């Protein structure tokens, strides 16, 4: 009887560890319950001619982007880079106004931060500016728990980077 009791305890322990490790590998919030990614701001003019990602893990990288692209990122003036890094998601050149990029969801799966965005298009009867635009969204992403990120979604082909 002792053998079976011990064996059941071992099996129960292995099952518990499996569940806990799966939770650690797949999650959609930080350890303190905050979202893995949040949208800080969006713009219709970011200056990117093609879809792209710009990862910023320091104030210096943020300043370099602002200087190189002329993108005004005042919304992150006092950003805490210890806790969150920044990710600029650019949709590329669009033929008119009315386009935008929006964060849908984020999840960490086995060390990969998977971000889903949506590129919104203007409605057929919507009045829009007749000028080339380059919409983007600025996201704050958790600084911990991932080594690779992917961004994809409706209207946005998958892009990824390794850090």
């Amino acid at each position: 009887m002792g053998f079976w009791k011990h064996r059941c305890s071992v099996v129960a322990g292995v099952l518990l560890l499996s569940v806990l490790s799966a939770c650690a590998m797949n999650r959609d919030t930080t350890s303190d319950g905050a979202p893995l990614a949040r949208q800080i701001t969006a713009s219709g003019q970011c200056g990117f001619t093609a879809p792209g990602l710009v990862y910023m893990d320091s104030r210096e990288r943020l300043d370099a982007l602002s200087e190189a692209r002329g993108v005004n990122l005042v919304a992150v003036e006092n950003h805490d880079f210890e806790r969150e890094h920044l990710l600029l998601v650019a949709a590329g050149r669009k033929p008119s106004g009315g386009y935008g990029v929006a964060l849908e969801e984020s999840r960490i799966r086995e060390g990969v931060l998977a971000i889903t965005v949506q590129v919104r298009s203007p409605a057929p009867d919507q009045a829009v500016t007749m000028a080339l635009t380059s919409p983007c969204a600025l996201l704050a992403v958790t600084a911990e728990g991932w080594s690779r990120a992917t961004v994809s979604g409706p209207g946005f082909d998958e892009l990824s980077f390794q850090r």
Side-chain angles (χ1 to χ4, degrees):
M1 186 67 120
F3 171 77
W4 289 108
K5 186 175 185 179
H6 175 72
R7 187 174 177 107
C8 287
S9 295
V10 169
V11 169
V14 168
L15 287 173
L16 179 60
L17 285 175
S18 297
V19 168
L20 290 176
S21 65
C23 290
M25 291 188 318
N26 298 313
R27 59 191 177 105
D28 56 9
T29 60
T30 63
S31 58
D32 61 359
L36 297 173
R38 62 187 176 88
Q39 185 163 331
I40 295 176
T41 190
S43 175
Q45 289 294 355
C46 289
F48 289 81
T49 58
L53 305 173
V54 179
Y55 174 66
M56 296 160 279
D57 59 359
S58 67
R59 170 72 45 200
E60 293 76 27
R61 288 190 178 190
L62 173 63
D63 292 343
L65 173 71
S66 295
E67 286 179 29
R69 296 287 181 174
V71 178
N72 186 359
L73 299 173
V74 175
V76 290
E77 192 171 295
N78 298 315
H79 188 74
D80 179 5
F81 282 94
E82 295 283 325
R83 202 173 117 255
E84 294 177 311
H85 295 170
L86 299 174
L87 182 61
L88 185 80
V89 180
R93 185 173 287 151
K94 301 298 178 191
S96 70
Y99 289 86
V101 179
L103 172 66
E104 292 285 316
E105 68 176 353
S106 58
R107 176 176 301 274
I108 293 179
R109 292 182 185 104
E110 299 175 2
V112 176
L113 175 60
I115 297 172
T116 304
V117 296
Q118 181 178 38
V119 177
R120 295 183 315 270
S121 300
D125 60 346
Q126 181 179 348
V128 296
T129 59
M130 295 311 297
L132 294 175
T133 59
S134 57
C136 68
L138 182 64
L139 310 179
V141 299
T142 183
E144 299 177 353
W146 60 276
S147 58
R148 185 170 159 260
T150 62
V151 179
S152 62
F156 196 88
D157 292 337
E158 184 174 301
L159 296 175
S160 68
F161 68 92
Q162 192 84 26
R163 65 173 181 163

